Amino acid sequence: MRRLLLLVPIATAVLPTLLVGVLAVGLVHAGQTWCTPAPTLTAVPDHLEATTTDGTTVRLDQTQLAHAATIVEVGGRIRGVGRDGLLVALMAGLTESRLRMYANTTTYPASAGFPHDADGADHDSLGIFQVRPTAGWGSVPELMDPAYQVRAFLGGPTGPNHGSPRGLLDIPGWQSLPKGAAAQAVEVSAYPDRYARYEPVAEAILTALTTTPAGDPAPAVAATASTHAPPVTGPPVSETVFPLPAGTWTRTSGFGNRLNPVLHVWRLHAGVDLAAPAGTPILATAAGTVVHAGPLGGLGNAVAITHNSGGQVLVSVYGHIRDHGTHVSVGDQVAAGDWIADVGSSGNSTGPHLHFELRPGGLDHPAIDPTDWLAATHARDTVAALDALPASSPALCSPAPGPATEPTVTKPMAVAA
């Protein structure tokens, strides 16, 4: 096994503790036991059909489902929201805008300068939840940001409006209300009964966005991956290294929902992308056993290694490997820093880079944000090389930015909600 000893960043004395901590966070995420139970976003389907309580069939397209994914992704990180809160938010978005981002050029001509799906004229309402700047919900630029709208609707101690106007978490006893009534308590609509109509549609959306569709090669659970991580074996991880040599890489994309640059659909990007020249050595981030070496859905050629991290299984995944650039086979034992593959651009890729993932529990389990792990393995250059680059998902149970801005798609106003 080839090993690049001179290129491996040194491990620090606190790494064993950090490894256990990162895995513990990942298991909480993957097991859906955050501060309150919340589903884990996996993928955004092309379309979805569901039926309202009165039997009307609703068909949602990719754009609408991308906004629903923003609600799930941002809301799922806010303490106290949980599954019920996400359903309330989805019901409100469906009712107010059919999950589309509305500008309002009649009242706010400047709103046309922000990404939007349609143009409406319902008083001075804006966005997915049709909330109003004059009511104190936020400025026009703020309300034309889907993630800001989600945080404002959900409110709570970390909400941007600090309880005035009230978001969902600012409503005393909202959990005991029917979900339609909870949505009405935030929206204060003249038509209070209309939100409940969309509860089964919201349920269908949440199920679709938090369950990988059959046959979909989503990065978190690739359809072609049939190899599962075995029970944890071997000594616990005591040393970790960054998966690329120092000075060879630039981080280009973080963990989170985004517009896939190849497929042009919104879905979870389940890892971190590190651009590097083709042929750059890819290093095993820790000691372990190779459980996959070959094609892995949209990741192209990939290697997966299972590790014993604090007595729990943790699998590291390395995607978009160069053709004929894999140097290990299933069953191989590797040490931290071993040269396992070469950077390439196989699979759904626009250029040479390493897609790096961490999957607590096994190869067939959902991935977690590996940023903390990468920071721990690159201690000497963390601030300059990681923190100064585009941020990835923040800590659980805190507000988070939504997906990258969508392209502008202007459509005629059909329903002003």
Side-chain angles (χ1 to χ4, degrees), residues 99 134 136 144 179 196-197 212 220 294 325 362 398 402:
L99 291 173
T134 55
M144 291 305 294
K179 292 183 179 63
R197 178 171 177 258
T212 303
S398 63

Side-chain angles (χ1 to χ4, degrees), residues 273-298:
D273 286 346
L274 305 169
T280 299
I282 299 172
L283 313 177
T285 193
T289 303
V290 177
V291 293
H292 183 90
L296 194 58

Side-chain angles (χ1 to χ4, degrees), residues 20-122:
V20 175
V22 169
L23 180 60
V25 170
L27 291 175
V28 168
H29 183 176
Q32 302 179 12
T33 54
W34 297 2
C35 301
T36 57
T40 302
L41 180 67
T42 55
V44 180
D46 293 332
H47 66 274
L48 176 71
E49 288 189 358
T51 305
T52 62
T53 56
D54 62 5
T56 301
T57 299
V58 176
R59 180 181 174 87
L60 303 171
D61 61 24
Q62 186 87 47
T63 298
Q64 293 164 293
L65 293 173
H67 292 312
T70 298
I71 293 173
V72 174
E73 183 179 24
V74 175
R77 295 195 185 98
I78 299 176
R79 183 185 299 274
V81 173
R83 180 181 176 84
D84 286 345
L86 295 179
L87 287 171
V88 172
L90 288 169
M91 291 165 62
L94 283 161
T95 304
E96 294 293 338
S97 68
R98 306 303 187 266
L99 291 173
R100 293 197 182 279
M101 193 67 189
Y102 277 96
N104 187 336
T105 56
T106 300
T107 307
Y108 298 110
S111 64
F114 298 90
H116 59 283
D117 310 315
D119 186 20
D122 183 3

Side-chain angles (χ1 to χ4, degrees), residues 121-149:
D122 183 3
H123 300 286
D124 65 330
S125 299
L126 292 168
I128 297 169
F129 296 104
Q130 289 291 280
V131 289
R132 305 170 66 179
T134 55
W137 283 100
S139 66
V140 171
E142 287 171 335
L143 293 179
M144 291 305 294
D145 174 3
Y148 180 94
Q149 283 226 356

